[in-house]
Amino acid sequence: ALTDGSIGDMIFFHSYKRPGFIVDIARDIRNINDLAVQSHATGQIIIGGGLVKHHVCNANLMRNGADFSVYINTGQEFDGSDSGASPDEAVSWGKIRITAEPVKVCAEATIVLPLIVSQTFAKDVKAWKEELDGCVCWLSDDDDLEDSEEKKKE
């Protein structure tokens, strides 16, 4: 599916511009699955559906499900599409933990995502940064990146 459509076309053209260019699909799946398996907890905010939704959910299947899950799409269950599948379907497969409280927002993402972010992640950015201080997955500024690189050299 990766090479289907415009992305495949761009990979094709780029391979002539840069001989030796390789897209390693097996490495990609190993990386995302390993990241999920090795994580203490995982959450997924899936905008849209289809291949991306399936890929992210399957990575969480490898660790007995995501701890947090939000779907944002306009897909409906009646058409049988992956986009329309409810979080309950993912729970039944073990892609979302049974203890999670998943949410599906049935709306057009370009309208609701900014509203969701403004009332959650961006509501108090300063407190959020303070809460994540010292977390290995968080870099607050380019200066911090330079400081951490200096510490590694020492």
Side-chain angles (χ1 to χ4, degrees), residues 26-153:
R27 181 178 291 171
D28 178 51
I29 194 76
R30 282 190 63 163
N31 287 344
I32 192 169
N33 288 358
D34 285 345
L35 181 63
V37 168
Q38 295 169 8
S39 295
H40 173 71
T42 63
Q44 51 190 17
I45 300 174
I46 301 176
I47 303 164
L51 180 68
V52 173
K53 180 181 176 193
H54 186 70
H55 197 59
V56 172
C57 287
N58 270 8
N60 281 284
L61 173 66
M62 303 300 160
R63 65 172 307 277
N64 298 317
D67 299 284
F68 308 95
S69 186
V70 177
Y71 295 171
I72 303 171
N73 65 55
T74 57
Q76 300 298 314
E77 288 186 70
F78 68 84
D79 67 3
S81 68
D82 186 45
S83 299
S86 73
D88 292 342
E89 183 269 343
V91 170
S92 74
W93 280 86
K95 297 174 182 181
I96 299 174
R97 290 184 184 234
I98 200 162
T99 56
E101 296 179 22
V103 174
K104 179 172 180 179
V105 179
C106 297
E108 210 289 311
T110 60
I111 296 170
V112 299
L113 185 62
L115 298 172
I116 292 170
V117 170
S118 73
Q119 296 304 304
T120 54
F121 303 109
K123 196 162 188 149
D124 191 353
V125 173
K126 185 177 179 182
W128 184 60
K129 284 183 176 184
E130 289 171 3
E131 181 181 326
L132 293 176
D133 187 39
C135 177
V136 295
C137 62
W138 173 255
L139 296 173
S140 60
D141 294 317
D142 289 336
D143 294 337
D144 291 344
L145 179 60
E146 291 170 11
D147 291 344
S148 65
E149 292 298 321
E150 290 299 319
K151 289 178 184 175
K152 285 181 187 176
K153 291 177 184 175

Side-chain angles (χ1 to χ4, degrees), residues 3-45:
T3 56
D4 185 27
S6 183
I7 292 176
D9 295 344
M10 294 305 113
I11 291 171
F12 170 76
F13 294 132
H14 193 73
S15 71
Y16 281 96
K17 192 173 183 178
R18 301 260 192 250
F21 174 72
I22 297 171
V23 176
D24 187 341
I25 296 171
R27 181 178 291 171
D28 178 51
I29 194 76
R30 282 190 63 163
N31 287 344
I32 192 169
N33 288 358
D34 285 345
L35 181 63
V37 168
Q38 295 169 8
S39 295
H40 173 71
T42 63
Q44 51 190 17
I45 300 174

